[in-house]
């Protein structure tokens, strides 16, 4: 389907994408040798002695000792002076084509929508690459927009990360551009089949689905050879995983079934719903109590793909501080249309009072504790940001997410493993992405210092290698400054 769409899209996407393309994004010709560089082994949590990495046709052709003649032969040599080479980063939760949440119409005709925007996708693409993000999963969005993005990458009209996409999230209510409604198992089957035919790599299920429809969605996804991922709160995660769910997003379990009877009664008596639940539920939940134990046991048994997206919630919890770093990130890096929407009030903290922010920050240690417990399981832990949502700026937010995980107590090697190899394997691309090994695709990050010692060192980017193209610091700065 994607290949058939290409010809019909040439007349529209190529001129628009070319207007944003940079000549620095073009592939270098001939072999490339990255010499005098330490390889960061995220699986063994160690670095190598100085090496030479030879890249040919976008792949790692050989890895030798530094200065090895076979590695350097007839190649463009780049002396990296003892820097560190890391696999490219994977953002497992990046709504890269998503436009702002908007209300259109009046009265009975009023509609909330979040339509795709190709200019926003191009803006996000370059900034993701500038921060070393070479692969993304889009867990919900317009598949036609996703196809236009992929075609632009294939044509060389745009520089950006490889994307694995879900279609619009499947829920009990419609939201044009982002969610499609289903009401019975037959409708679920038709929607899933249509998304797969349109190119969906994943099926995304949402919070409004009943347990029966959630099960129908999981089963339909599997019949069509696709994994199912879900954002859930009403259905308890252990129950959903027992249904065969492959992945869960957001560290917001929020199910009454994870609270004991007194906790549940107290929460339900005082709950205001909506995003107030982001902290009100946690006020009654003990991450080291029976509910936390149930989550850990379910993760150990079923080993789901999971991305916590702490950054999206932490940004909301500190939104009342005008000098918080997320506002700075957004001003410098977010697409203008999204920034205008967030400044206009469409945020996760919409309607919160000053006391709500105090309460939200007070429960943050519980969120951190649950993150640490889940990362200690054998589940397929990955790293995601929820890019496209309020204050989550492209690229930099993945580094903030990694730092939040480290601050919670997850070790730097564990975070790096989640952000590289685990992400690639979760996407079904672990045989070609996520490792520095011969035959793997050359998606790499050159760092000034060893990130195994300090996760914040992932921000010290000297260069990025994307599909074998060496993008130096000056080029990356142009990507963020456009």
């Amino acid at each position: 389907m994607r290949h058939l769409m290409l010809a019909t899209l040439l007349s529209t996407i190529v001129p628009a994408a070319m207007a944003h393309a940079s000549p620095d994004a073009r592939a270098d010709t001939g072999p490339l040798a990255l010499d005098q560089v330490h390889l960061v082994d995220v699986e063994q949590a160690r670095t190598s002695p100085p090496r030479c990495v030879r890249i040919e046709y976008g792949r790692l052709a050989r890895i030798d000792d530094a200065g090895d003649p076979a590695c350097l032969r007839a190649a463009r040599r780049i002396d990296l002076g003892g820097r560190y080479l890391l696999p490219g980063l994977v953002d497992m939760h990046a709504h890269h084509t998503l436009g702002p949440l908007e209300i259109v119409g009046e009265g009975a005709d009023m509609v909330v929508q979040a339509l795709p925007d190709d200019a926003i996708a191009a803006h996000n693409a370059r900034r993701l690459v500038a921060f070393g993000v070479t692969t993304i999963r889009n867990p919900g969005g317009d598949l036609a927009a996703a196809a236009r993005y992929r075609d632009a990458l294939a044509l060389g009209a745009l520089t950006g990360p490889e994307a694995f996409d879900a279609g619009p999230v499947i829920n009990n209510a419609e939201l044009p551009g982002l969610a499609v409604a289903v009401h019975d198992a037959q409708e679920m089957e038709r929607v899933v089949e249509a998304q797969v035919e349109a190119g969906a790599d994943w099926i995304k299920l949402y919070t409004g689905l009943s347990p029966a429809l959630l099960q129908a969605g999981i089963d339909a996804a599997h019949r069509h050879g696709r994994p199912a991922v879900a954002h859930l709160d009403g259905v308890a995660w252990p129950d959903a995983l027992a249904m065969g769910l492959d992945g869960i997003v957001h560290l917001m379990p929020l199910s009454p079934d994870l609270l004991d009877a007194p906790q549940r009664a107290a929460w339900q008596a005082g709950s205001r719903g909506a995003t107030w639940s982001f902290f009100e539920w946690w006020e009654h939940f003990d991450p080291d109590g029976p509910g936390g134990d149930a989550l850990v046991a379910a993760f150990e048994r079923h080993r789901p793909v999971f991305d916590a997206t702490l950054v999206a919630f932490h940004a909301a919890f500190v939104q009342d501080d005008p000098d918080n770093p997320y506002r700075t990130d957004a001003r410098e890096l977010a697409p203008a249309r999204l920034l205008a929407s967030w400044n206009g009030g469409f945020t996760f903290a919409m309607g919160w009072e000053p006391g709500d922010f105090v309460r939200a920050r007070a429960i943050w240690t519980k969120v951190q504790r649950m993150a640490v417990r889940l990362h200690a399981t054998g589940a397929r832990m990955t790293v995601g940001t929820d890019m496209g949502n309020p204050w989550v700026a492209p690229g930099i937010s993945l580094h903030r997410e990694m730092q939040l995980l480290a601050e919670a107590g997850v070790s730097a090697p564990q975070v790096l493993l989640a952000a590289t190899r685990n992400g690639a394997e979760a996407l079904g691309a672990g045989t070609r992405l996520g490792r520095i090994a011969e035959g793997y695709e050359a998606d790499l990050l050159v760092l000034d210092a060893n990130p195994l010692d300090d996760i914040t060192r992932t921000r010290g980017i000297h260069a990025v290698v994307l599909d074998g193209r060496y993008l130096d610091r000056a080029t990356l700065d142009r990507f963020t400054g456009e």
Side-chain angles (χ1 to χ4, degrees):
M1 171 64 76
R2 292 174 191 152
H3 300 296
L4 292 174
M5 291 176 69
L6 179 58
T8 60
L9 291 166
L10 288 177
S11 63
T12 55
I13 184 59
V14 175
M18 287 295 288
H20 295 286
S22 166
D24 300 295
R26 295 172 187 162
D28 296 312
T29 58
L32 176 68
L34 306 180
D35 200 17
Q36 299 293 340
V37 64
H38 300 280
L39 311 188
V40 180
D41 185 337
V42 298
E43 297 174 69
Q44 300 299 319
R46 65 190 181 193
T47 60
S48 74
R51 296 290 189 236
C52 178
V53 176
R54 185 180 178 93
I55 298 170
E56 296 179 1
Y57 304 108
R59 292 186 176 268
L60 304 182
R62 60 185 300 146
I63 299 172
D64 298 297
D65 291 337
D68 187 282
C71 181
L72 299 175
R73 185 176 297 116
R76 175 192 172 201
R77 176 180 179 266
I78 299 178
D79 185 345
L80 291 175
R83 289 183 171 85
Y84 294 82
L85 197 65
L86 183 72
L89 303 174
V90 182
D91 188 338
M92 286 287 286
H93 207 117
H95 299 279
H96 65 124
T97 66
L98 188 65
L101 196 67
E102 298 173 317
I103 298 176
V104 297
E106 296 180 357
D109 296 324
M110 187 170 62
V111 174
V112 180
Q113 63 183 26
L115 302 182
D117 186 317
D118 290 351
I120 286 177
H123 175 108
N124 288 333
R126 293 186 297 279
R127 284 151 184 81
L128 286 164
V129 170
F131 285 93
V133 180
T134 58
T135 308
I136 59 173
R137 181 184 67 175
N138 173 11
D142 182 86
L143 287 168
R148 292 194 297 271
Y149 173 84
R150 292 185 185 192
D151 290 341
L153 292 186
L155 291 166
L158 184 65
T159 296
E162 180 180 1
F164 294 76
D165 299 281
V169 301
I170 302 174
N171 200 19
N172 63 339
E174 197 88 11
L175 198 163
L178 186 58
V180 59
V182 301
H183 303 95
D184 55 46
Q186 292 73 28
E187 193 172 15
M188 177 70 77
E189 175 67 27
R190 290 194 296 271
V191 168
V192 169
E193 182 177 18
Q195 289 193 0
V196 170
E197 289 180 353
D201 300 299
W202 290 70
I203 300 301
K204 173 73 173 289
L205 306 169
Y206 212 64
T207 59
L209 297 176
S210 66
L213 280 179
L214 179 65
Q215 183 71 73
I218 295 168
D219 292 344
H222 292 171
R223 277 195 297 275
H224 291 279
R226 296 295 186 273
V229 63
H231 175 175
L232 297 174
D233 47 37
V235 178
W237 292 4
D239 295 339
L241 292 174
M243 294 178 188
L245 185 67
D246 302 288
I248 296 176
V249 299
H250 306 310
L251 188 47
M252 286 287 157
L254 307 189
S255 171
D257 294 337
L258 292 171
L259 304 174
D260 63 27
Q263 292 170 332
R264 183 163 58 248
W267 173 55
Q268 292 175 331
S271 174
R272 290 172 285 176
T275 61
W276 288 284
S277 294
F278 291 169
F279 61 87
E280 289 179 342
W281 182 86
W282 285 93
E283 290 175 332
H284 303 281
F285 177 77
D286 180 2
D288 289 305
D293 292 344
L295 290 176
V296 169
F299 271 51
E300 286 284 12
R301 180 177 182 182
H302 300 287
R303 302 196 171 189
V305 175
F306 179 72
D307 56 286
T309 68
L310 298 182
V311 67
F313 303 104
H314 192 252
F317 289 4
V318 300
Q319 183 181 305
D320 59 330
D321 179 0
D323 298 320
N324 77 69
Y326 304 106
R327 286 185 181 272
T328 301
D329 292 345
R331 284 194 299 267
E332 295 178 354
L333 296 165
R337 288 189 66 212
L338 292 181
L339 180 59
S341 175
W342 306 337
N343 282 327
F346 276 106
T347 72
F348 288 160
M350 187 166 54
W352 289 17
E353 299 293 336
D356 294 325
F357 292 100
V358 175
R359 292 172 64 185
R361 287 192 284 271
I363 61 89
W364 188 246
T365 56
K366 290 186 175 184
V367 179
Q368 291 176 310
R369 175 61 183 152
M370 198 70 251
V372 170
R373 292 200 69 191
L374 293 179
H375 270 268
T377 70
R380 292 172 289 174
M381 306 302 288
T382 63
V383 179
T385 63
D386 210 2
M387 188 193 79
N389 276 295
W391 312 118
V392 183
I396 184 62
S397 290
L398 190 71
H399 297 269
R400 294 205 181 278
E401 178 73 9
M402 291 191 290
Q403 184 176 352
L404 287 171
L405 289 168
E407 289 173 353
V410 183
S411 71
Q414 281 182 294
V415 174
L416 291 170
L417 186 66
T420 56
R421 190 206 72 179
N422 285 6
E425 291 188 345
L427 293 170
T431 59
R432 63 181 180 88
L433 298 173
R435 286 182 171 89
I436 303 175
E438 292 181 5
Y440 274 65
E441 294 180 19
D443 285 346
L444 306 164
L445 191 55
V446 181
L447 301 175
D448 290 326
N450 184 359
L452 292 172
D453 298 332
D454 182 348
I455 199 66
T456 63
R457 291 177 175 174
T458 59
R459 302 188 194 188
I461 299 173
H462 179 73
V464 171
V465 181
L466 181 69
D467 296 327
R469 296 169 288 170
Y470 187 84
L471 306 174
D472 61 19
R473 185 66 260 170
T475 300
L476 301 178
D477 288 342
R478 284 195 289 273
F479 285 178
T480 59
E482 293 173 344

